[in-house]
Amino acid sequence: MAKKTIHTLEEIYPESAVAAQRERYEKSAEEFRSIFGDSDQLRYFSAPGRTEVGGNHTDHNHGKVLAASVNLDVIAVVEPTDDNIITIKSEGFPEDSVDISDLSVHEDEKNSSAALIRGVAAGFKNNGLTIGGFKAVCSCSFAAFEVLIGNILSGIYNAGGISAVKIAQIAQYAENEYFGKPSGLMDQMASSVGGFVAIDFKNTQAPIIENI
């Protein structure tokens, strides 16, 4: 299931919400410029929040779940850079700057957003995918933050060709190995795949996903 490239706000949001969402994106772009300076290379990314419909925690035991994305999303305004530094300013949080030329686990980063950034980059690299630096301003939540980073690396450095399933698996890897939380795969999968889905985790490397 490949990621679909979206070109307009009308493709993401209902007609009644487009004006408010345009204002939201413009406000984030203004914040980006106030922090990092003007740029003519800004890119925009989104990842939805998620809800657990049924089967909570059965993903830990290779079970079956019902999950859905919701119409509250996290967004990022992004500028690619030609170095190996990922810098993210999340709304309401201090700025994170991570040098992804070092992809080892940093014990002092456990339970931090920096760990998730480094972990997602490591997951991409471990899967033979391309990574690189960028600057971003974003609004954030937990599982969606990891998926958002994956969407950015996919969109900028891999032509948007990384599947939703692979992004979710990499997000879980980052959370397990770098952040230090032994989470299952349901939250990341619900955010990455989107929609209302049934997921069978009998084989977590190849989960069976059915749109409801």
Side-chain angles (χ1 to χ4, degrees):
M1 186 179 296
K3 298 297 288 183
K4 178 185 176 185
T5 300
I6 303 295
H7 298 286
T8 67
L9 295 178
E10 287 79 5
E11 292 178 81
I12 306 176
Y13 305 103
E15 183 178 355
S16 60
V18 168
Q21 291 297 335
R22 182 174 289 110
E23 182 178 345
R24 178 187 178 210
Y25 278 81
E26 289 173 350
K27 180 180 178 182
S28 292
E30 290 174 6
E31 184 177 358
F32 181 98
R33 294 185 180 99
S34 72
I35 296 171
F36 298 116
D38 202 6
S39 173
D40 58 0
Q41 299 185 62
L42 294 184
R43 305 273 299 272
Y44 300 86
F45 295 85
S46 169
R50 87 293 177 275
T51 185
E52 302 155 352
V53 180
N56 190 15
H57 295 303
T58 60
D59 54 331
H60 291 266
N61 301 302
H62 303 279
K64 300 177 181 180
V65 303
L66 291 172
S69 58
V70 298
N71 62 356
L72 299 175
D73 61 348
V74 297
I75 65 172
V77 179
V78 181
E79 179 188 32
T81 61
D82 57 4
D83 55 22
N84 280 321
I85 308 298
I86 294 177
T87 302
I88 299 179
K89 176 62 176 73
S90 299
E91 184 179 351
F93 294 91
E95 181 178 295
D96 286 301
S97 188
V98 176
D99 185 346
I100 58 171
S101 60
D102 173 12
L103 295 177
S104 62
V105 176
H106 289 212
E107 291 298 326
D108 60 337
E109 284 182 348
K110 289 288 179 75
N111 300 301
S112 74
S113 53
L116 296 175
I117 296 167
R118 198 183 305 276
V120 171
F124 267 67
K125 192 73 171 178
N126 293 346
N127 281 275
L129 304 172
T130 303
I131 60 175
F134 61 83
K135 299 174 182 176
V137 164
C138 76
S139 60
C140 293
S141 72
F142 202 65
F145 178 68
E146 305 155 16
V147 171
L148 186 65
I149 297 168
N151 287 344
I152 293 169
L153 290 175
S154 175
I156 294 177
Y157 293 108
N158 296 274
I162 311 306
S163 73
V165 170
K166 178 58 69 176
I167 287 176
Q169 290 169 331
I170 290 172
Q172 183 201 24
Y173 167 80
E175 193 169 318
N176 291 172
E177 303 300 326
Y178 283 74
F179 187 84
K181 180 183 178 184
S183 67
L185 188 54
M186 179 174 68
D187 292 355
Q188 294 84 354
M189 195 71 75
S191 176
S192 186
V193 172
F196 183 19
V197 293
I199 310 172
D200 185 342
F201 288 110
K202 181 177 181 180
N203 179 359
T204 56
Q205 295 305 305
I208 299 170
I209 303 168
E210 178 184 357
N211 291 319
I212 304 299

